[in-house]
């Protein structure tokens, strides 16, 4: 049995003053060499570039772009790109940026580990970006927001009704939408609503908060929250548990994929949807309107979220002032999977 070698201590990232010290020149001289803004004697230039190579120094392209006024690129930091909300938000950002004559680069934050977060931020700051949008949908996104420096314009896109940090946000009022779902089901005569939550990865769930607040206001029993993963199969497993109970007549699911799994499990167990159990999803993915029964859900306009995030960033870059956050409540879309208690 062998042991892995002890991890090496993380080295300090070299900065401009380190290059100047190694080259035996002043910081302004190093800056002139790297930006080619003024003539520098060949001998001094060679010393600076040798020090840059030896230290592994990487110029901060984002800061250079801000100082020089070259604002043709924005960056998106995200914990993922494949899930529906992530992909559509990035699409909205890219479309709005393209219409403004700007390009977009994407950096994935693999986890909320410090090294992963700093690596993604370092990659972004090495590019000549005018500003950055972080998708605050998960734990990696939250960590990136907290670690991001104040020197570059930053906007956050995510759920919630307000921002507590310095950066402005394009937001979706998930709490308000969660209340709307729950109140709709209660209005159909259901005594309570069971809730299947998707992973929050450390992020506060506005959907769950809205569900709980509506039940509390109505004086209804608040059942324990049931937890699913991102996989529709986990919705099926939870649906099997719900189908085995006689007290379940309404279910609010954290997203459409989980709702589809729950519906399938209920049907396979002999339950009718919506005659025996009403089911609601969240997101309004394109396929759910074609499902049988067509899914009642909450329509989150992620493309608009991305466009609003870009508009906030463009305003920050152009004016140098931080705009107010933008919040929109998602829309409840009524279809065939909910009905009044028989």
């Amino acid at each position: 049995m062998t042991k892995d070698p002890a991890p090496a201590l993380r080295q300090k990232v070299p900065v401009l003053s380190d290059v100047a010290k190694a080259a035996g020149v002043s910081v302004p001289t190093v800056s002139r060499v790297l930006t080619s803004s003024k003539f520098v004697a060949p001998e001094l230039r060679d010393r600076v570039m040798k020090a840059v190579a030896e230290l592994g120094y990487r110029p901060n392209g984002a800061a250079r772009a801000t100082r020089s006024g070259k604002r043709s690129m924005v960056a998106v930091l995200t914990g993922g790109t494949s899930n529906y909300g992530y992909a559509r938000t990035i699409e909205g950002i890219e479309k709005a940026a393209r219409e403004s004559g700007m390009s977009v680069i994407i950096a994935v934050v693999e986890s909320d580990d410090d090294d992963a977060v700093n690596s993604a931020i370092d990659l972004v700051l090495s590019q000549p970006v005018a500003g950055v949008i972080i998708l605050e949908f998960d734990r990696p996104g939250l960590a990136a927001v907290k670690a991001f420096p104040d020197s570059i314009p930053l906007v956050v896109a995510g759920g919630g009704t307000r921002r507590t940090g310095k950066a402005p946000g394009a937001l979706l009022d998930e709490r308000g939408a969660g209340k709307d779902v729950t109140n709709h089901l209660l209005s159909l005569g259901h005594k309570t609503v069971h809730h299947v939550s998707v992973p929050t990865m450390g992020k506060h769930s506005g959907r769950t908060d809205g569900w709980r607040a509506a039940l509390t206001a109505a004086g209804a029993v608040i059942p324990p929250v049931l937890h699913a993963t991102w996989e529709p199969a986990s919705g099926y497993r939870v649906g099997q548990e719900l189908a085995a109970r006689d007290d379940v007549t309404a279910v609010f699911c954290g997203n459409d994929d989980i709702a589809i799994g729950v519906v399938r499990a209920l049907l396979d167990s002999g339950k009718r949807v919506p005659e025996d159990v009403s089911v609601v999803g969240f997101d309004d993915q394109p396929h759910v309107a074609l499902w049988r029964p067509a899914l009642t859900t909450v329509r989150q306009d992620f493309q608009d979220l991305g466009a609003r995030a870009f508009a906030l960033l463009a305003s920050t870059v152009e004016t140098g002032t931080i705009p107010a956050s933008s919040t929109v409540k998602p829309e409840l879309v009524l279809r065939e999977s909910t009905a009044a208690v028989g």
Side-chain angles (χ1 to χ4, degrees), residues 74-318:
V74 297
V76 177
L77 275 169
T78 173
T81 58
S82 59
N83 286 345
Y84 180 73
Y86 294 77
R88 296 288 281 180
T89 303
I90 293 170
E91 183 180 351
I93 294 170
E94 194 280 330
K95 183 175 184 293
R98 180 165 18 96
E99 290 174 350
S100 297
M102 302 184 77
S103 59
V104 176
I105 62 170
I106 300 169
V108 175
V109 188
E110 300 288 351
S111 73
D112 64 338
D113 178 78
D114 286 347
D115 285 342
V117 171
N118 290 332
S119 177
I121 291 176
D122 192 40
L123 174 63
V124 164
L125 293 181
S126 71
Q127 305 299 314
V129 296
V132 175
I133 297 171
I134 297 180
L135 304 193
E136 197 181 47
F137 292 160
D138 50 31
R139 192 187 296 271
L142 285 166
V145 171
K146 292 178 181 178
F148 205 82
D150 295 334
S151 56
I152 303 300
L154 171 66
V155 168
V156 170
T161 55
R162 63 188 178 89
R163 286 283 304 151
T164 56
K166 296 179 181 179
L171 307 173
L172 291 166
D173 181 6
E174 295 182 350
R175 187 178 190 277
K179 290 176 65 176
D180 287 348
V181 168
T182 308
N183 285 329
H184 168 65
L185 290 169
L186 292 174
S187 74
L188 295 175
H190 298 280
K191 293 182 178 180
T192 190
V193 177
H194 289 74
H195 178 50
V196 185
S197 174
V198 292
T200 60
M201 298 181 69
K203 182 179 180 297
H204 201 52
S205 174
R207 306 171 196 192
T208 301
D209 276 356
W211 162 79
R212 185 177 288 108
L215 290 180
T216 299
V221 172
I222 303 176
V225 175
L226 301 169
H227 298 280
T229 70
W230 291 114
E231 300 300 321
S234 72
Y236 187 89
R237 290 191 292 272
V238 174
Q240 288 177 310
E241 297 176 20
L242 294 170
R245 299 171 55 176
D246 293 330
D247 62 330
V248 177
T249 65
V251 183
F252 168 32
C253 299
N255 71 13
D256 292 338
D257 287 338
I258 300 306
I260 293 300
V262 168
V263 170
R264 180 59 185 266
L266 291 169
L267 296 176
D268 286 352
S269 300
K271 298 279 188 177
R272 299 172 299 166
V273 177
E275 292 85 355
D276 297 323
V277 183
S278 290
V279 179
V280 181
F282 211 95
D283 285 345
D284 196 27
Q285 298 188 40
H287 64 278
V288 300
L290 304 177
W291 185 258
R292 183 173 295 177
L295 188 67
T296 294
T297 187
V298 170
R299 178 175 297 151
Q300 297 210 96
D301 193 339
F302 289 108
Q303 276 197 307
D304 175 69
L305 177 68
R308 287 189 287 117
F310 177 80
L312 289 175
L313 183 62
S315 174
T316 303
V317 170
E318 291 302 320

